[in-house]
Amino acid sequence: MKKIISFLIVFSLHLFSLQAQSILEWPRVESVHKPWVRWWWHGSAVEKKDLQWMLDELNSKGIGGVEITPIYGVKGEEDKFKSFLSRDWQDAVSFTLREAQKRGLGVDLANATGWPFGGPWVTKQDASKSIYLKKITSNGVDSWKDSLKLFREGFIRVANQSPLTFSVYDQKKKSGVSSQELSIDQLQNPEDIYPIALLAVDSAGLKIDLSDKLNNLSSMPILSKGKWTFYAAYSVLHGKMVERAAPGGEGYAIDHFSLSATRNYLSAFDSVVQSNSFASLRSFFNDSYEVDDAKGQANFSDELFSYFNDKMGYRLESELPALFGLDSLDKNRRVRYDYRMVVDEMILNNFTGTWTDWAHQKGKLTRNQSHGSPANTLDLYSRVDIPETEGTEIMRFKFASSAAHVSGKKLIAAETATWLNENFTTSWAQVKKAVDQYFLGGVNHIVYHGTAYSPQQASWPGWLFYAAVQFQPTNPQWNDFKKLNEYVTRVQSWLQKGDPSTDVLVYYPLADAYSAPGDNLLQHFDGMDKNVEGSVFSKAASWLLKNGYAFDFFSDRQVLNFSVNQQEIITEGNLKAKIILIPAVQYMEGKTLEKLLELARQGARIAFLDKLPDDVPGFYDYKNRSKFFSEETKQMRFASTVQPVELYALGSGMIFLGTDLQKILTKAAVPYERLSAKGLNWIRRELPEGALYFVENNSTRKINSLFKIPSKDVQVYLLNPITGDIGKARVLNDNEQNEFQLSIDKDETILILFSKVDFKVANYFYDTYLGKTDTLTGPWKIQFLSGGPALPSDYTTTDLSSWTEWPIKFVKDFSGSARYTLNFKWSGNSSIDYLLNFGVVHSTCSVKINGVDFGSLIGPQYTLRITGSILKEQNTIEVTVSNLMANRIAYLDRNGVAWKKFYNINMSAKHKENLINGVFSASSWKPFLSGLLGPVLLSPIE
């Protein structure tokens, strides 16, 4: 009997599973599917009732979580400031965590105020350092010793203020001026400095390292007569301070190369996060590496010489001329490479790895922006739990997403819409466009940039952070914000499922960049920046993107963990690819080449584009490493002249060499997506249900075309994330050509699922026009509902135009919402559907027809599909339109209203033409288009 019951249970579960599989719907929404938002706490001057109110507002608009980042304060609110890490501050964070949890919201916390990591507890020993070189010549007498001491001039850089002299700075400090008011961004005190390393070189090239004699100059050996050149290296405080620091967070930025500096910095948080009240915190956050946006470079650490000597097997102190580019070009390149590789490893292990390990010990994740670092961003992104990118370019995003794909991270975040346009001039349609680019670049976890905590009673526009799209209640578009977030949620609920899908793994040629000469000791890596600009790597990646190939980048460290299974290359994170591509490189580590050849022997396809690598980089153990590299290279027997494509069998795999990337990939049987040929952008994921594509029409026109279906046993489903519609695509079987129809408007996006499961869904809706389009003309009655600086009076018009052009008071300065009402007759067919197109809208709207609420439209298309049954002989349509913040901001600036009341940067502009005396001003702006501009069209559709 028990066996029968067990069988029935298993059989019932199986039937239930099959039934569940037959339903295609949007995944059940979790907080991580929703967009999150960076939440600035100005001065941490937060109060419980307003924290609750803002959490309610964010939750009601579809936000899934917040990242708390304390920032500079608001003038006049000093009595409410809560010093960073103080008991009051901890209580505020704990309260927020509890309230967020009640609402199902997640919370992350910045491990600093502003950026980068730093604070008042960071000592000069733990602060960022710079190394300088002085060259001294002598004829063998001891006078050179007097030249060793240097005087460094002092330097102060402040945020958004007039230059500050040391006398004024000292006076202000003595008079009790707060760190918030001083807003110091970089501080280098005037001081005498002494060398930490000294190298003597005679005219014959004899080198004597005198570094260990610096503490006792009299003990230095007597140098023989003749001309000597002395190279003295100095370590000095770089002086970079925490940028945009909150009260209690002001201080030096840490030395990111130093293990002890990182540990000492994090120890300040130990007692804070050990509290049970922080249990629901998801992760700690680190902003992008922005140390070297100050004067000079943070290019040294007290630990560097020792670390270098242990890693490279020779003393960097003995190669100071080459380090600073004063030896032969080849020697300079090789020593510079070794130095940069050591810095790379120190950041990876001593900072990023140590921070992540610390967070894991606390039961938390790390969310990190690795870009901008003087290290391999692919490795840094791989070392954290949630890689985060920012910017506007897909290729930049792919460094974070590639690292996640290769290493097996599920979430790829993006700081989204940072200074997308000038302050106060960004619409939700423009945000959606930016979000779509992130999705195409592999991002699946949007974090808006951002919203500021602002009390309900604060006068408009409230507390704000510059460099942001203001995602907060004072933005007139707030009424329609939920529509944008529903869209993001639908897309992310699918993009976070399954596994990434790629065909080509592209080698990131960092050895060439690290070997490049230049004035700066360190380079900073941020996507396709100047370090790789114009390289074969950059050109190949752009070509792959344009021509429909799915690809990801990988690093030297990552390839060491690759394996092969039946010709598929498999990464540590279980990403599978068909080929490895090595764009033309000059230098490659021997162990990297050795691994590539090992993969080929096991069945992998390896392609070298344009040329084979020439040699190993670096100076350490160069002769032995170069000999090994040469022996490995000899295993690839290609002609001396590179052909469009050559191939050579090695083991059970294949090595390709050629100048024609298209021919190489064709020869290697690597597929491409025909969507790209039609002007569509896409990204692909592998799901249990099948292959999922997120597709965007980035062309200038609507695309209505047929596309090939991968195989006959595959069904095609279309999921519209803006409307929520799901349906089976129209399929045409003509002369054995298995194709489906895709109709997608300019800037529109769609999800396409190719699945062997026959889901029970209706056919997808295609807009096929059936007859004459009617233009809905006025009179339109307009009532201004909310906003300011004052509500314009009601207005009636038959000519839809920007309300800023109407002959009534206040409209040119008005930012807010207005309701357009139109009564119209209709005598159409109630059994068919209609498309209602509102034409041009500035900037968002919501629609009611005969009392039925159709929700919000955010653009770029302002259209609704409605059933004819909703229409009557007499109809009323209500369109509530909200414009940008810009016109009201311009009014405030023209009339001298003091809304800019922030410490530190107060406030900056994206474009210099909007700066007056270093401060943002909209006083010269002409009114931005606002309202419903139409035309409003009603079209019968199939």
Side-chain angles (χ1 to χ4, degrees), residues 8 85 148 426 544 701 709:
L8 289 174
L85 299 184
L148 290 178
T426 300
L544 291 169
R701 59 182 176 81
I709 300 174

Side-chain angles (χ1 to χ4, degrees), residues 374-512:
N376 193 326
T377 53
L378 294 173
D379 296 326
L380 296 180
Y381 278 132
S382 298
R383 189 65 179 84
V384 299
D385 299 302
I386 306 174
E388 179 165 298
T389 185
E390 63 176 310
T392 58
E393 299 171 355
I394 289 177
M395 207 65 76
R396 187 190 201 198
F397 311 152
K398 286 188 74 69
F399 281 82
S401 60
S402 292
H405 295 164
V406 170
S407 62
K409 314 296 181 187
K410 292 299 183 183
L411 293 178
I412 304 104
E415 177 191 300
T416 303
T418 308
W419 254 1
L420 194 54
N421 298 313
E422 183 56 275
N423 295 310
F424 313 112
T425 65
T426 300
S427 69
W428 291 164
Q430 292 166 324
V431 173
K432 178 189 174 294
K433 179 71 173 175
V435 166
D436 291 342
Q437 298 310 295
Y438 283 112
F439 289 153
L440 292 166
V443 169
N444 60 10
H445 186 27
I446 293 297
V447 182
Y448 293 132
H449 190 277
T451 188
Y453 166 91
S454 185
Q456 278 185 275
Q457 70 272 17
S459 57
W460 197 90
W463 299 3
L464 303 173
F465 182 76
Y466 80 105
V469 173
Q470 307 298 336
F471 296 96
Q472 54 199 82
T474 53
N475 189 328
Q477 299 175 97
W478 186 254
N479 298 326
D480 302 308
F481 187 34
K482 188 175 182 179
K483 183 70 173 183
L484 173 63
N485 297 329
E486 288 173 344
Y487 167 79
V488 174
T489 299
R490 289 190 183 113
V491 176
Q492 292 190 157
S493 68
W494 280 98
L495 293 184
Q496 289 177 18
K497 292 181 65 176
D499 299 306
S501 178
T502 200
D503 294 315
V504 185
L505 285 167
V506 185
Y507 173 68
Y508 184 37
L510 205 62
D512 282 0

Side-chain angles (χ1 to χ4, degrees), residues 26 483 486-487 490 719-726 748-750 764 857 863-865:
W26 299 100
K483 183 70 173 183
E486 288 173 344
Y487 167 79
R490 289 190 183 113
L719 301 90
N720 189 320
I722 198 74
T723 65
D725 293 340
I726 297 176
E748 189 180 1
T749 59
I750 197 81
Y764 192 76
L857 300 175
T863 59
L864 277 178
R865 191 178 77 242

Side-chain angles (χ1 to χ4, degrees), residues 12 15 33 55 156 239 244 249 316 378 384 389 530 558 766 771 776 853 927 936:
S12 298
L15 283 178
H33 294 149
L55 288 171
I156 305 177
R244 318 302 181 227
L316 186 59
L378 294 173
V384 299
T389 185
K530 61 182 180 182
Q558 290 171 328
Y766 294 84
L776 302 186
D853 190 349
V936 181

Side-chain angles (χ1 to χ4, degrees), residues 80-96:
K80 297 185 181 69
F81 287 177
K82 295 175 178 62
S83 184
F84 185 54
L85 299 184
S86 67
R87 174 50 60 189
D88 286 347
W89 181 87
Q90 292 181 47
D91 289 344
V93 175
S94 298
F95 176 81
T96 302

Side-chain angles (χ1 to χ4, degrees), residues 97-228:
L97 286 165
R98 292 194 300 273
E99 293 298 311
Q101 196 169 26
K102 291 177 186 177
R103 294 160 176 80
L105 296 169
V107 180
D108 290 350
L109 177 65
N111 247 139
T113 75
W115 61 88
F117 280 12
W121 64 94
V122 176
T123 64
K124 289 184 179 181
Q125 182 178 349
D126 286 346
S128 57
K129 307 288 193 312
S130 301
I131 187 171
Y132 294 103
L133 185 76
K134 182 179 182 182
K135 184 177 176 182
I136 306 166
T137 57
S138 172
N139 288 319
V141 296
D142 284 348
S143 59
W144 59 270
K145 295 180 182 178
D146 298 330
S147 302
L148 290 178
K149 184 177 77 171
L150 288 180
F151 177 74
R152 183 177 73 160
E153 297 286 345
F155 174 76
I156 305 177
R157 190 174 79 168
V158 295
N160 208 32
Q161 296 178 22
S162 301
L164 192 62
T165 64
F166 272 93
S167 59
V168 173
Y169 169 66
D170 291 337
Q171 185 178 1
K172 286 189 173 186
K173 283 185 66 177
K174 289 177 182 176
S175 62
V177 174
S178 70
S179 296
Q180 281 288 290
E181 188 170 343
L182 287 171
S183 300
I184 305 296
D185 184 68
Q186 189 175 13
L187 177 62
Q188 297 175 348
N189 287 303
E191 59 181 332
D192 291 327
I193 56 175
Y194 298 88
I196 56 168
L198 182 64
L199 181 70
V201 183
D202 73 0
S203 56
L206 173 67
K207 293 191 294 187
I208 302 176
D209 187 349
L210 302 173
S211 301
D212 60 349
K213 307 293 184 182
L214 285 170
N215 290 332
N216 187 3
L217 293 178
S218 62
S219 68
M220 286 191 177
I222 298 174
L223 301 176
S224 60
K225 291 183 179 180
K227 186 175 181 180
W228 287 85

